[in-house]
Amino acid sequence: MPSPFLPTRSFQAYQIFAANTNVGKTIFATGLCRAAAIVAKQKNRDVFYLKPVQTGYPVDSDERHVKTYNPSSLLRTNTLYTYPDPVSPHIATDKPPHDDQVLARVKQQMMDYVKQQKKNGSYFFLETAGGIHSPVMSGTPQVDFYRSLRLPTLLIGDSNLGGISTTLTSFESLRLRGYDVPTILLFNQPSYKNHVLIEQQTSKNGVLQVATIPPPPVPLEDPVSEEASMNRYYAQVDDYLVPVIEQLDIAHQERFDRLETMAQKSRDILWWPFTQHELVKDVTVIDSAHDDYFTTYQDDKTAKEMFDSCASWWTQGLGHANPDLTLSAAYAAGRYGHVIFPESTNEPALSLAEKVLSKDRWASRVFFSDNGSTAMEVALKMAMSATAKRYGFSTKEPVEILGIDGSYHGDTIGTMDACAPNVYNEQVQWYEPKGHWLKPPSVHISHGRAYVRLPSEIEGKTRNVFYDSIDTIYSVDQRGALRDKSLAETYAHYIRTELKFLRDQGRRIGSLLMEPILMGAGGMIFVDPLFQRTLIDVVRNEGSQLLYGVDECVSKDDSWQGLPVVFDEVFAGWYRLGRRSASEFLGVTPDITAYAKTLTGGLLPLALTVTKESIYDVFLSHNKPDCLLHGHSYTAHPMGCAVAKTSIETLDTISSGAWAPFRQEWKKNQHLSIWSMWNPETVNQLSKLDRVESVMTLGSVLAVELKDDQNKGYGSNVSKSVIENLRSGQFKNGFDKTAETGINLFARPLGNVIYLMTSQITTLDRVRQCEKALLETLAN
């Protein structure tokens, strides 16, 4: 459904911010409304003004001032929250309304104006209170509070001595948060001429015009004389501001001309990843993003908020356009830009490495790269070299990995070869599988019951093993094999048989490679943690004997055993599943692990490969070619490192308290050790739907396996209609619970699996929005 409060070609909306208090913001708001009314009369349009928060009321009333000096019948005005004390809004009341409540009222008023506007549309002006960082009642700075609307901003500059600094500082704060600032307005002070330098500094950054008006006359004591004086003043100001409105009209039309052509132009020149262009029906034009939402523009020329329910390919940790991450990136960019990394260091890179190692206490070294696939390439080089040295492999002899079928480690050639043949690699001519992959048992919930689905390769037949709860399945970190001793022995027998088979074939296995707990791109497969734990235990305790017929003599406490165990935590690391590391579910640590995606909170590409000193030592010598010959130009780029450190620190803080409401919902349903952002009752409902084979959830991930008798897996089309409805259907899940404000979900399928994913800062209400849409779609 469209979001009727967002700007469109007909609803020409602006917010008025000021560089400081007492710079004439309300005078400019009044003048702009007058000028807009003059132009609107010619174009048969309306003019609307909104003051969300007014303090010092009723002695002070910006709305009253705007109405007093605007005789036009086209103008309609409103004020939402009024407080008598002339102070900052955050101390004007001891019972501040929640930000969501205030924003909902603002949106509702904007919707009402849209309904009232003439066919030719309207101008809308939202006047803020004080300066851009002045808070709303909760204490949230206005520049952040209004960010989800991202209205084009008219910045009222400071024309006084020192005003250049406050104006440019305000402008930079707005730009850092993604606001467009087409116009800066200020009084003409001939003795300072602030506007001249401000125009020089801002014209290269998207400001189309810096305009001035004469300063207002000196106030008169007699009210009648004062009103007459100001009427004459505003009549004079009309001549200055009507051209400003006309210039804004041009910019507004150009903006929507661009938005309306972006979809087709993108079809014409872009090559999208993982996309069959012949099957693309609609192109989603994303104008901006904030927290969990996209602001999109549709082919029918409407604007729409969409919940980013794929977490933008699983990257979103702290929400889109997070100001803390943005400022960290800006600081690092301002301090360093990018600097070379080999044989040098910089504070963001070093402090990030220290932070990561303070969490991964089993590790001692951090290698930087740019994405998850590359981080896994590095991990493979580390592991293979370590194994070759210990077991005396020749560098000319082929070495393979031991992995789990359905895993996915990236699209670079090396990581492709580390995966079993699948839809991602089978049509790549260079692909050459280099490994042996075990068939995994997987965790599911169906008809309210938790079970592990065993593939036929393990026991000779497919069967389900039921448990009293999901908690029992995920008790491996505490109980190990005692979770299900019989099944653990079955797993161990299967694993030993496979390892002996590899030895009999004379194959050289260089590492054990796995995505712990959840295999993402393979279809959101929740692997039984007992299987992965048993696999690691067998490889470490018996691997050298089973594979190579030798007994290890490990000389260092941190050395690996059997094979180096490599975890691919590119997707599941850093709280994606509710715990900092997915390895915590297994009760063991790896020898090498790779992180990316939520590492930087969803802002910048960065990846880490973390390992032990014993792996690092393999590459030490006096011969340079013996080193780890891997890297890229932007290794350890300071912006990414600074953002990652801020992200980790923020996630640590969130994990200690902000997720309590979600955890409490699961505790009420007798789940004490695992939790999800998705309501357990919703999970139960989904598991009982006719179209649903099974469902599973941990942390912010929800996976729904749909029934498909024809073609399971990535090639299935059974989810197509579900995805289309989630993206464009009608739902009563908006802020006012009507279809008019309903939120659609930007979801992506993995074959017959529908998955939804949130950021780590989402709220109960936002998750309920998604649940309602998904339940309605699957129930119909």
Side-chain angles (χ1 to χ4, degrees), residues 24-55:
K25 176 161 55 62
T26 300
I27 289 176
F28 280 96
T30 304
L32 287 165
C33 286
R34 285 175 60 100
I38 292 171
V39 178
K41 185 176 181 180
Q42 301 167 359
K43 297 184 175 183
N44 195 25
R45 307 183 80 194
D46 287 302
V47 181
F48 302 110
Y49 166 90
L50 178 63
K51 179 76 174 182
V53 182
Q54 176 72 63
T55 61

PDB file of all heavy atoms in Angstrom, residues 24-55:
ATOM      1  N   GLY A  24      15.093  33.688  13.156  1.00  0.00           N
ATOM      2  CA  GLY A  24      13.974  34.117  12.330  1.00  0.00           C
ATOM      3  C   GLY A  24      13.255  32.997  11.624  1.00  0.00           C
ATOM      4  O   GLY A  24      12.610  33.221  10.590  1.00  0.00           O
ATOM      5  N   LYS A  25      13.301  31.804  12.182  1.00  0.00           N
ATOM      6  CA  LYS A  25      12.704  30.654  11.503  1.00  0.00           C
ATOM      7  C   LYS A  25      11.221  30.860  11.240  1.00  0.00           C
ATOM      8  O   LYS A  25      10.718  30.541  10.149  1.00  0.00           O
ATOM      9  CB  LYS A  25      12.939  29.383  12.328  1.00  0.00           C
ATOM     10  CG  LYS A  25      12.278  28.122  11.778  1.00  0.00           C
ATOM     11  CD  LYS A  25      12.913  26.873  12.358  1.00  0.00           C
ATOM     12  CE  LYS A  25      12.908  26.885  13.865  1.00  0.00           C
ATOM     13  NZ  LYS A  25      11.553  26.909  14.454  1.00  0.00           N
ATOM     14  N   THR A  26      10.481  31.358  12.234  1.00  0.00           N
ATOM     15  CA  THR A  26       9.042  31.537  12.047  1.00  0.00           C
ATOM     16  C   THR A  26       8.740  32.656  11.055  1.00  0.00           C
ATOM     17  O   THR A  26       7.748  32.591  10.325  1.00  0.00           O
ATOM     18  CB  THR A  26       8.374  31.815  13.403  1.00  0.00           C
ATOM     19  OG1 THR A  26       8.622  30.699  14.270  1.00  0.00           O
ATOM     20  CG2 THR A  26       6.873  31.982  13.245  1.00  0.00           C
ATOM     21  N   ILE A  27       9.586  33.674  11.012  1.00  0.00           N
ATOM     22  CA  ILE A  27       9.415  34.727  10.005  1.00  0.00           C
ATOM     23  C   ILE A  27       9.574  34.138   8.609  1.00  0.00           C
ATOM     24  O   ILE A  27       8.775  34.417   7.694  1.00  0.00           O
ATOM     25  CB  ILE A  27      10.416  35.871  10.247  1.00  0.00           C
ATOM     26  CG1 ILE A  27      10.023  36.644  11.518  1.00  0.00           C
ATOM     27  CG2 ILE A  27      10.486  36.811   9.043  1.00  0.00           C
ATOM     28  CD1 ILE A  27      10.994  37.730  11.913  1.00  0.00           C
ATOM     29  N   PHE A  28      10.572  33.300   8.456  1.00  0.00           N
ATOM     30  CA  PHE A  28      10.757  32.661   7.153  1.00  0.00           C
ATOM     31  C   PHE A  28       9.613  31.705   6.849  1.00  0.00           C
ATOM     32  O   PHE A  28       9.154  31.614   5.698  1.00  0.00           O
ATOM     33  CB  PHE A  28      12.095  31.932   7.111  1.00  0.00           C
ATOM     34  CG  PHE A  28      13.266  32.830   6.851  1.00  0.00           C
ATOM     35  CD1 PHE A  28      14.033  33.321   7.893  1.00  0.00           C
ATOM     36  CD2 PHE A  28      13.586  33.213   5.563  1.00  0.00           C
ATOM     37  CE1 PHE A  28      15.113  34.161   7.662  1.00  0.00           C
ATOM     38  CE2 PHE A  28      14.669  34.054   5.309  1.00  0.00           C
ATOM     39  CZ  PHE A  28      15.429  34.529   6.368  1.00  0.00           C
ATOM     40  N   ALA A  29       9.144  30.966   7.862  1.00  0.00           N
ATOM     41  CA  ALA A  29       8.012  30.052   7.648  1.00  0.00           C
ATOM     42  C   ALA A  29       6.786  30.830   7.192  1.00  0.00           C
ATOM     43  O   ALA A  29       6.055  30.409   6.276  1.00  0.00           O
ATOM     44  CB  ALA A  29       7.707  29.273   8.917  1.00  0.00           C
ATOM     45  N   THR A  30       6.566  31.975   7.804  1.00  0.00           N
ATOM     46  CA  THR A  30       5.433  32.809   7.423  1.00  0.00           C
ATOM     47  C   THR A  30       5.588  33.315   5.993  1.00  0.00           C
ATOM     48  O   THR A  30       4.648  33.250   5.180  1.00  0.00           O
ATOM     49  CB  THR A  30       5.317  34.004   8.385  1.00  0.00           C
ATOM     50  OG1 THR A  30       5.226  33.519   9.733  1.00  0.00           O
ATOM     51  CG2 THR A  30       4.093  34.850   8.065  1.00  0.00           C
ATOM     52  N   GLY A  31       6.777  33.798   5.680  1.00  0.00           N
ATOM     53  CA  GLY A  31       7.027  34.288   4.332  1.00  0.00           C
ATOM     54  C   GLY A  31       6.910  33.198   3.279  1.00  0.00           C
ATOM     55  O   GLY A  31       6.372  33.424   2.184  1.00  0.00           O
ATOM     56  N   LEU A  32       7.387  32.003   3.607  1.00  0.00           N
ATOM     57  CA  LEU A  32       7.295  30.895   2.654  1.00  0.00           C
ATOM     58  C   LEU A  32       5.844  30.493   2.421  1.00  0.00           C
ATOM     59  O   LEU A  32       5.450  30.194   1.280  1.00  0.00           O
ATOM     60  CB  LEU A  32       8.103  29.693   3.173  1.00  0.00           C
ATOM     61  CG  LEU A  32       9.632  29.844   3.088  1.00  0.00           C
ATOM     62  CD1 LEU A  32      10.319  28.792   3.952  1.00  0.00           C
ATOM     63  CD2 LEU A  32      10.106  29.729   1.635  1.00  0.00           C
ATOM     64  N   CYS A  33       5.048  30.474   3.477  1.00  0.00           N
ATOM     65  CA  CYS A  33       3.629  30.146   3.311  1.00  0.00           C
ATOM     66  C   CYS A  33       2.926  31.188   2.446  1.00  0.00           C
ATOM     67  O   CYS A  33       2.085  30.844   1.604  1.00  0.00           O
ATOM     68  CB  CYS A  33       2.947  30.034   4.675  1.00  0.00           C
ATOM     69  SG  CYS A  33       3.366  28.538   5.594  1.00  0.00           S
ATOM     70  N   ARG A  34       3.278  32.449   2.660  1.00  0.00           N
ATOM     71  CA  ARG A  34       2.688  33.511   1.840  1.00  0.00           C
ATOM     72  C   ARG A  34       3.083  33.334   0.369  1.00  0.00           C
ATOM     73  O   ARG A  34       2.244  33.394  -0.539  1.00  0.00           O
ATOM     74  CB  ARG A  34       3.158  34.883   2.331  1.00  0.00           C
ATOM     75  CG  ARG A  34       2.520  35.367   3.610  1.00  0.00           C
ATOM     76  CD  ARG A  34       3.158  36.689   4.049  1.00  0.00           C
ATOM     77  NE  ARG A  34       2.995  37.728   3.035  1.00  0.00           N
ATOM     78  CZ  ARG A  34       2.077  38.695   3.072  1.00  0.00           C
ATOM     79  NH1 ARG A  34       1.218  38.742   4.083  1.00  0.00           N
ATOM     80  NH2 ARG A  34       2.016  39.606   2.127  1.00  0.00           N
ATOM     81  N   ALA A  35       4.383  33.146   0.138  1.00  0.00           N
ATOM     82  CA  ALA A  35       4.861  33.008  -1.235  1.00  0.00           C
ATOM     83  C   ALA A  35       4.257  31.769  -1.901  1.00  0.00           C
ATOM     84  O   ALA A  35       3.871  31.796  -3.079  1.00  0.00           O
ATOM     85  CB  ALA A  35       6.387  32.933  -1.253  1.00  0.00           C
ATOM     86  N   ALA A  36       4.168  30.675  -1.140  1.00  0.00           N
ATOM     87  CA  ALA A  36       3.573  29.453  -1.677  1.00  0.00           C
ATOM     88  C   ALA A  36       2.108  29.682  -2.029  1.00  0.00           C
ATOM     89  O   ALA A  36       1.608  29.160  -3.039  1.00  0.00           O
ATOM     90  CB  ALA A  36       3.716  28.309  -0.678  1.00  0.00           C
ATOM     91  N   ALA A  37       1.398  30.464  -1.196  1.00  0.00           N
ATOM     92  CA  ALA A  37      -0.007  30.744  -1.462  1.00  0.00           C
ATOM     93  C   ALA A  37      -0.172  31.567  -2.746  1.00  0.00           C
ATOM     94  O   ALA A  37      -1.128  31.367  -3.510  1.00  0.00           O
ATOM     95  CB  ALA A  37      -0.624  31.476  -0.274  1.00  0.00           C
ATOM     96  N   ILE A  38       0.755  32.479  -2.997  1.00  0.00           N
ATOM     97  CA  ILE A  38       0.696  33.277  -4.220  1.00  0.00           C
ATOM     98  C   ILE A  38       0.849  32.372  -5.441  1.00  0.00           C
ATOM     99  O   ILE A  38       0.095  32.462  -6.430  1.00  0.00           O
ATOM    100  CB  ILE A  38       1.788  34.371  -4.202  1.00  0.00           C
ATOM    101  CG1 ILE A  38       1.469  35.403  -3.110  1.00  0.00           C
ATOM    102  CG2 ILE A  38       1.922  35.045  -5.565  1.00  0.00           C
ATOM    103  CD1 ILE A  38       2.593  36.405  -2.862  1.00  0.00           C
ATOM    104  N   VAL A  39       1.842  31.480  -5.385  1.00  0.00           N
ATOM    105  CA  VAL A  39       2.067  30.553  -6.499  1.00  0.00           C
ATOM    106  C   VAL A  39       0.925  29.542  -6.589  1.00  0.00           C
ATOM    107  O   VAL A  39       0.467  29.177  -7.686  1.00  0.00           O
ATOM    108  CB  VAL A  39       3.421  29.843  -6.340  1.00  0.00           C
ATOM    109  CG1 VAL A  39       3.640  28.838  -7.468  1.00  0.00           C
ATOM    110  CG2 VAL A  39       4.559  30.861  -6.311  1.00  0.00           C
ATOM    111  N   ALA A  40       0.450  29.076  -5.426  1.00  0.00           N
ATOM    112  CA  ALA A  40      -0.628  28.074  -5.391  1.00  0.00           C
ATOM    113  C   ALA A  40      -1.909  28.610  -6.014  1.00  0.00           C
ATOM    114  O   ALA A  40      -2.659  27.856  -6.654  1.00  0.00           O
ATOM    115  CB  ALA A  40      -0.885  27.631  -3.959  1.00  0.00           C
ATOM    116  N   LYS A  41      -2.174  29.889  -5.845  1.00  0.00           N
ATOM    117  CA  LYS A  41      -3.372  30.478  -6.426  1.00  0.00           C
ATOM    118  C   LYS A  41      -3.324  30.387  -7.951  1.00  0.00           C
ATOM    119  O   LYS A  41      -4.334  30.103  -8.605  1.00  0.00           O
ATOM    120  CB  LYS A  41      -3.505  31.931  -5.981  1.00  0.00           C
ATOM    121  CG  LYS A  41      -4.801  32.587  -6.439  1.00  0.00           C
ATOM    122  CD  LYS A  41      -4.916  34.004  -5.884  1.00  0.00           C
ATOM    123  CE  LYS A  41      -6.230  34.648  -6.318  1.00  0.00           C
ATOM    124  NZ  LYS A  41      -6.370  36.027  -5.787  1.00  0.00           N
ATOM    125  N   GLN A  42      -2.123  30.571  -8.488  1.00  0.00           N
ATOM    126  CA  GLN A  42      -1.968  30.494  -9.942  1.00  0.00           C
ATOM    127  C   GLN A  42      -2.119  29.057 -10.439  1.00  0.00           C
ATOM    128  O   GLN A  42      -2.602  28.813 -11.551  1.00  0.00           O
ATOM    129  CB  GLN A  42      -0.593  31.031 -10.346  1.00  0.00           C
ATOM    130  CG  GLN A  42      -0.345  32.476  -9.924  1.00  0.00           C
ATOM    131  CD  GLN A  42       1.121  32.867 -10.065  1.00  0.00           C
ATOM    132  OE1 GLN A  42       1.952  32.052 -10.466  1.00  0.00           O
ATOM    133  NE2 GLN A  42       1.451  34.113  -9.726  1.00  0.00           N
ATOM    134  N   LYS A  43      -1.720  28.105  -9.615  1.00  0.00           N
ATOM    135  CA  LYS A  43      -1.693  26.693 -10.037  1.00  0.00           C
ATOM    136  C   LYS A  43      -2.854  25.889  -9.469  1.00  0.00           C
ATOM    137  O   LYS A  43      -2.895  24.670  -9.655  1.00  0.00           O
ATOM    138  CB  LYS A  43      -0.373  26.054  -9.611  1.00  0.00           C
ATOM    139  CG  LYS A  43       0.856  26.688 -10.263  1.00  0.00           C
ATOM    140  CD  LYS A  43       2.131  25.939  -9.885  1.00  0.00           C
ATOM    141  CE  LYS A  43       3.333  26.499 -10.624  1.00  0.00           C
ATOM    142  NZ  LYS A  43       4.573  25.739 -10.329  1.00  0.00           N
ATOM    143  N   ASN A  44      -3.771  26.573  -8.771  1.00  0.00           N
ATOM    144  CA  ASN A  44      -4.923  25.895  -8.160  1.00  0.00           C
ATOM    145  C   ASN A  44      -4.472  24.792  -7.202  1.00  0.00           C
ATOM    146  O   ASN A  44      -4.886  23.640  -7.291  1.00  0.00           O
ATOM    147  CB  ASN A  44      -5.844  25.314  -9.237  1.00  0.00           C
ATOM    148  CG  ASN A  44      -7.202  24.940  -8.653  1.00  0.00           C
ATOM    149  OD1 ASN A  44      -7.641  25.489  -7.644  1.00  0.00           O
ATOM    150  ND2 ASN A  44      -7.865  23.981  -9.285  1.00  0.00           N
ATOM    151  N   ARG A  45      -3.627  25.173  -6.266  1.00  0.00           N
ATOM    152  CA  ARG A  45      -3.112  24.249  -5.270  1.00  0.00           C
ATOM    153  C   ARG A  45      -3.440  24.763  -3.871  1.00  0.00           C
ATOM    154  O   ARG A  45      -3.948  25.870  -3.707  1.00  0.00           O
ATOM    155  CB  ARG A  45      -1.594  24.058  -5.421  1.00  0.00           C
ATOM    156  CG  ARG A  45      -1.142  23.672  -6.810  1.00  0.00           C
ATOM    157  CD  ARG A  45       0.352  23.420  -6.865  1.00  0.00           C
ATOM    158  NE  ARG A  45       0.690  22.091  -6.356  1.00  0.00           N
ATOM    159  CZ  ARG A  45       1.934  21.712  -6.036  1.00  0.00           C
ATOM    160  NH1 ARG A  45       2.932  22.569  -6.148  1.00  0.00           N
ATOM    161  NH2 ARG A  45       2.164  20.493  -5.603  1.00  0.00           N
ATOM    162  N   ASP A  46      -3.124  23.949  -2.855  1.00  0.00           N
ATOM    163  CA  ASP A  46      -3.321  24.334  -1.456  1.00  0.00           C
ATOM    164  C   ASP A  46      -1.981  24.545  -0.773  1.00  0.00           C
ATOM    165  O   ASP A  46      -0.925  24.145  -1.287  1.00  0.00           O
ATOM    166  CB  ASP A  46      -4.094  23.244  -0.707  1.00  0.00           C
ATOM    167  CG  ASP A  46      -5.561  23.204  -1.088  1.00  0.00           C
ATOM    168  OD1 ASP A  46      -6.224  24.232  -0.923  1.00  0.00           O
ATOM    169  OD2 ASP A  46      -6.032  22.136  -1.550  1.00  0.00           O
ATOM    170  N   VAL A  47      -2.047  25.144   0.429  1.00  0.00           N
ATOM    171  CA  VAL A  47      -0.858  25.343   1.256  1.00  0.00           C
ATOM    172  C   VAL A  47      -1.184  24.883   2.671  1.00  0.00           C
ATOM    173  O   VAL A  47      -2.216  25.276   3.233  1.00  0.00           O
ATOM    174  CB  VAL A  47      -0.403  26.819   1.281  1.00  0.00           C
ATOM    175  CG1 VAL A  47       0.853  26.972   2.127  1.00  0.00           C
ATOM    176  CG2 VAL A  47      -0.172  27.337  -0.127  1.00  0.00           C
ATOM    177  N   PHE A  48      -0.293  24.048   3.228  1.00  0.00           N
ATOM    178  CA  PHE A  48      -0.487  23.541   4.585  1.00  0.00           C
ATOM    179  C   PHE A  48       0.747  23.837   5.427  1.00  0.00           C
ATOM    180  O   PHE A  48       1.883  23.795   4.934  1.00  0.00           O
ATOM    181  CB  PHE A  48      -0.727  22.032   4.568  1.00  0.00           C
ATOM    182  CG  PHE A  48      -1.905  21.603   3.746  1.00  0.00           C
ATOM    183  CD1 PHE A  48      -1.722  20.914   2.555  1.00  0.00           C
ATOM    184  CD2 PHE A  48      -3.193  21.900   4.165  1.00  0.00           C
ATOM    185  CE1 PHE A  48      -2.810  20.523   1.790  1.00  0.00           C
ATOM    186  CE2 PHE A  48      -4.286  21.512   3.406  1.00  0.00           C
ATOM    187  CZ  PHE A  48      -4.096  20.821   2.218  1.00  0.00           C
ATOM    188  N   TYR A  49       0.483  24.113   6.705  1.00  0.00           N
ATOM    189  CA  TYR A  49       1.565  24.403   7.658  1.00  0.00           C
ATOM    190  C   TYR A  49       1.325  23.575   8.906  1.00  0.00           C
ATOM    191  O   TYR A  49       0.199  23.493   9.412  1.00  0.00           O
ATOM    192  CB  TYR A  49       1.578  25.896   8.005  1.00  0.00           C
ATOM    193  CG  TYR A  49       2.433  26.244   9.212  1.00  0.00           C
ATOM    194  CD1 TYR A  49       3.778  26.575   9.063  1.00  0.00           C
ATOM    195  CD2 TYR A  49       1.892  26.249  10.500  1.00  0.00           C
ATOM    196  CE1 TYR A  49       4.560  26.906  10.170  1.00  0.00           C
ATOM    197  CE2 TYR A  49       2.663  26.576  11.603  1.00  0.00           C
ATOM    198  CZ  TYR A  49       3.994  26.897  11.438  1.00  0.00           C
ATOM    199  OH  TYR A  49       4.762  27.229  12.535  1.00  0.00           O
ATOM    200  N   LEU A  50       2.405  22.977   9.419  1.00  0.00           N
ATOM    201  CA  LEU A  50       2.301  22.173  10.639  1.00  0.00           C
ATOM    202  C   LEU A  50       3.430  22.522  11.585  1.00  0.00           C
ATOM    203  O   LEU A  50       4.605  22.545  11.198  1.00  0.00           O
ATOM    204  CB  LEU A  50       2.365  20.670  10.302  1.00  0.00           C
ATOM    205  CG  LEU A  50       2.309  19.717  11.496  1.00  0.00           C
ATOM    206  CD1 LEU A  50       0.984  19.839  12.242  1.00  0.00           C
ATOM    207  CD2 LEU A  50       2.548  18.276  11.044  1.00  0.00           C
ATOM    208  N   LYS A  51       3.063  22.781  12.830  1.00  0.00           N
ATOM    209  CA  LYS A  51       4.028  22.982  13.910  1.00  0.00           C
ATOM    210  C   LYS A  51       3.834  21.827  14.894  1.00  0.00           C
ATOM    211  O   LYS A  51       2.913  21.841  15.719  1.00  0.00           O
ATOM    212  CB  LYS A  51       3.775  24.327  14.602  1.00  0.00           C
ATOM    213  CG  LYS A  51       4.723  24.626  15.763  1.00  0.00           C
ATOM    214  CD  LYS A  51       6.100  25.047  15.284  1.00  0.00           C
ATOM    215  CE  LYS A  51       6.974  25.472  16.469  1.00  0.00           C
ATOM    216  NZ  LYS A  51       8.309  25.927  16.033  1.00  0.00           N
ATOM    217  N   PRO A  52       4.646  20.786  14.837  1.00  0.00           N
ATOM    218  CA  PRO A  52       4.417  19.638  15.715  1.00  0.00           C
ATOM    219  C   PRO A  52       4.546  19.958  17.193  1.00  0.00           C
ATOM    220  O   PRO A  52       3.767  19.458  18.012  1.00  0.00           O
ATOM    221  CB  PRO A  52       5.485  18.636  15.263  1.00  0.00           C
ATOM    222  CG  PRO A  52       5.768  19.003  13.844  1.00  0.00           C
ATOM    223  CD  PRO A  52       5.674  20.501  13.820  1.00  0.00           C
ATOM    224  N   VAL A  53       5.533  20.777  17.575  1.00  0.00           N
ATOM    225  CA  VAL A  53       5.788  21.027  18.997  1.00  0.00           C
ATOM    226  C   VAL A  53       5.947  22.523  19.226  1.00  0.00           C
ATOM    227  O   VAL A  53       6.773  23.174  18.584  1.00  0.00           O
ATOM    228  CB  VAL A  53       7.057  20.286  19.473  1.00  0.00           C
ATOM    229  CG1 VAL A  53       7.273  20.530  20.963  1.00  0.00           C
ATOM    230  CG2 VAL A  53       6.967  18.792  19.183  1.00  0.00           C
ATOM    231  N   GLN A  54       5.167  23.047  20.178  1.00  0.00           N
ATOM    232  CA  GLN A  54       5.231  24.471  20.515  1.00  0.00           C
ATOM    233  C   GLN A  54       5.370  24.608  22.031  1.00  0.00           C
ATOM    234  O   GLN A  54       4.538  24.108  22.781  1.00  0.00           O
ATOM    235  CB  GLN A  54       3.963  25.190  20.058  1.00  0.00           C
ATOM    236  CG  GLN A  54       3.899  26.663  20.440  1.00  0.00           C
ATOM    237  CD  GLN A  54       4.860  27.512  19.620  1.00  0.00           C
ATOM    238  OE1 GLN A  54       4.727  27.601  18.408  1.00  0.00           O
ATOM    239  NE2 GLN A  54       5.832  28.130  20.282  1.00  0.00           N
ATOM    240  N   THR A  55       6.434  25.243  22.461  1.00  0.00           N
ATOM    241  CA  THR A  55       6.577  25.570  23.887  1.00  0.00           C
ATOM    242  C   THR A  55       6.294  27.057  24.087  1.00  0.00           C
ATOM    243  O   THR A  55       6.264  27.833  23.133  1.00  0.00           O
ATOM    244  CB  THR A  55       7.984  25.222  24.395  1.00  0.00           C
ATOM    245  OG1 THR A  55       8.959  25.978  23.660  1.00  0.00           O
ATOM    246  CG2 THR A  55       8.265  23.731  24.257  1.00  0.00           C
TER     247      THR A  55
END
